[in-house]
Amino acid sequence: MRLSIITINYNNKQGLQKTIDSVISQTFKDFEWIVIDGGSTDGSKELIEKNQKNITYWCSEPDNGIYHAMNKGIARLRGSYVLFLNSGDWLIDDNVLKTVVETNPMEDIVYGYVEREIEGVQQRLKGFLHQDTITMVDLYYRTIPHQGTFFKTNLFQRFGVYDENLKILADRKFYVESIIYGDASVKFIPFSISYFDAGGI
């Protein structure tokens, strides 16, 4: 089973460094890493170049926003599952990918907890879904954290890529189309996948 990781970045060198550190320290190594930078001018491009030996594919050029950048990464996918780990987010420990693979995932969407520092304490976020069966009502009130979710890459062939006309809700639209209308299978794994950077959009 080969994994893919897509990281998008724009002028977030400090956050990107955290993401890089967590990815290159993984004990499980059978993954490709795609980094899409939006033409940063803060030194992010130079940081990517410095670490390019660990990156399967990268580019640094202007884009039309978050989902355009994510879709550019999707076009390069070669793994069987993909995780969107954007700059500023990082994997919770060095064994996360190994642990996920050892669960022998078969479902279309496999996800776990994400964590964030709240009042100085790192804790699991409660605002996301934590269950296998998901309804339209569930997705109305909460969503699935993309930083903690592994998607079968063929989902993007079955249901299309993210809607670039939506600024921040295209991932929720994708969940509705794939899970609710497309009957994509879902599995919740009860451990933390990543640390969520609260500074993003």
Side-chain angles (χ1 to χ4, degrees):
M1 173 182 168
R2 191 180 192 209
L3 299 179
S4 299
I5 299 174
I6 294 176
T7 296
I8 66 170
N9 175 75
Y10 181 63
N11 285 338
N12 186 26
K13 180 182 177 181
Q14 184 176 359
L16 181 60
Q17 182 68 69
K18 294 178 181 180
T19 307
I20 289 172
D21 291 343
S22 78
V23 171
I24 65 177
S25 67
Q26 289 299 299
T27 56
F28 179 84
K29 301 296 184 183
D30 189 15
F31 65 90
E32 64 172 1
W33 189 16
I34 298 165
V35 179
I36 307 296
D37 180 70
S40 295
T41 57
D42 69 337
S44 291
K45 180 181 178 181
E46 291 74 17
L47 179 60
I48 295 168
E49 290 175 330
K50 180 180 177 182
N51 290 275
Q52 62 184 338
K53 67 179 181 181
N54 297 302
I55 299 171
T56 309
Y57 170 84
W58 70 274
C59 67
S60 181
E61 59 191 20
D63 56 51
N64 298 321
I66 292 172
Y67 296 112
H68 181 214
M70 291 170 75
N71 287 342
K72 286 166 66 175
I74 290 170
R76 294 277 176 173
L77 287 177
R78 296 295 181 270
S80 52
Y81 280 87
V82 60
L83 169 70
F84 295 94
L85 189 73
N86 296 336
S87 71
D89 301 331
W90 64 89
L91 297 166
I92 211 77
D93 61 46
D94 294 349
N95 293 308
V96 168
L97 298 185
K98 179 177 181 288
T99 303
V100 171
V101 169
E102 288 177 347
T103 68
N104 191 30
M106 302 295 290
E107 292 78 9
D108 295 316
I109 297 172
V110 179
Y111 74 107
Y113 294 109
V114 294
E115 299 191 7
R116 176 177 162 190
E117 185 175 302
I118 302 174
E119 297 180 352
V121 178
Q122 188 165 321
Q123 54 188 284
R124 291 172 175 170
L125 292 179
K126 299 179 180 179
F128 294 110
L129 291 166
H130 303 138
Q131 60 205 55
D132 294 338
T133 303
I134 295 174
T135 67
M136 181 72 86
V137 173
D138 293 325
L139 287 172
Y140 179 82
Y141 289 103
R142 294 182 291 170
T143 189
I144 301 171
H146 70 253
Q147 305 91 338
T149 304
F150 294 81
F151 300 86
K152 271 191 178 177
T153 55
N154 65 16
L155 284 176
F156 298 102
Q157 297 171 344
R158 291 166 57 190
F159 302 106
V161 296
Y162 291 111
D163 186 344
E164 296 173 16
N165 294 313
L166 299 176
K167 184 177 181 181
I168 59 173
L169 291 175
D171 49 347
R172 189 177 296 228
K173 179 182 178 183
F174 183 83
Y175 288 134
V176 170
E177 291 177 340
S178 60
I179 298 172
I180 306 303
Y181 296 125
D183 201 29
S185 55
V186 178
K187 178 181 180 180
F188 172 68
I189 45 181
F191 53 82
S192 295
I193 304 295
S194 67
Y195 184 93
F196 173 67
D197 180 9
I201 293 177

